[in-house]
Amino acid sequence: MYFLLARVFQATIVMLCVALVGFLVFQFVGDPVLSLVGQETTVEDREALRESLGLNDPILMQYARYVVNAVQGDFGISYSFNRDVSEMIADRLPATVELVLLSGVLSLLLAIPAGIYTGIRRKGGIAQTIMAISVIGVSIPSFLLGILLILVFSVWLNWLPSFGRGDLATVFGLRSSLFTWDGLSHALMPAAVLCLFQLGVILRLIRAEMLEVLRTDYIRFAWARGLPGKRVYFGHALKNTLVPVVTAIGLQLSSLFAFSIITELVFQWPGMGSLLLHAIGQSDIPLLAAYLIFVGLVFTISNLLVDAIYVLIDPRIRHGAL
């Protein structure tokens, strides 16, 4: 329990630092008042707006107000859309979450068994082929792979749609495009592009950890006792590869939110990535600051979940030995 409380305290400090960066971006990159008013606005009106926004208050008071507003989901008004930033994020976030969830599930379903297999049968032809494909996955830029998939599956074969998000459906109160075939057909190619790099990284990490563990003395002792192969591989070897693998999986799946920007642009997916690109093009500082805090929150929560999983899979952490 002390281990988890310490991690929660560290996560809170991290989020305060991320909020400080977002606040500095919001405060010192351009003038918020000039971005909100037109050229015809008088100096008196600008000063009145500055006072009403609290921009004349001490800097620590402004930072505290920014943190309190961010906790309540208030990130201000978008300069380019003249809309509440929180509403815009709420509109775009489900599409990005769908894409990240689908690509994350594909990555884990393919990488974990492939990593275990290539670790056990490392000299086999199938294992060597999987490793060669994984190198291709981490080597090809995502935008190029996306264009190639569009060319093959949309233009030549006409199997999958090349852009946009499909029809939505509501199941158990959740509204998502993943509940319809049209939505899945639209999400399949961008999810495949997004997962390929993570798949290659996770696969190679699991393989390396399996090779390392299979060379240890206690695995040799397990073989000497005559234990069956399944028990040695999955009961002893795989269990001891989980701590570094879980760490990598947590970070890799979190990074899907950051890596989705280019993929969403290629497939015109209406998610957070395309919104961020628009914010960069228009110098929309409230949107940029909100996106920064959102990505920081995703990484912080995923690290907390990874720490909680540590406690479950490693008894030394549970009993305070580490």
Side-chain angles (χ1 to χ4, degrees), residues 118 124-136:
T118 54
I126 297 176
Q128 294 299 321
T129 304
I130 293 174
M131 294 306 297
I133 294 174
S134 73
V135 172
I136 296 173

Side-chain angles (χ1 to χ4, degrees), residues 107 133-134 136-138 145 191-201:
S107 298
I133 294 174
S134 73
I136 296 173
V138 298
L145 181 62
V193 171
L194 196 56
C195 87
L196 198 58
F197 179 81
Q198 319 300 329
L199 190 157
V201 172

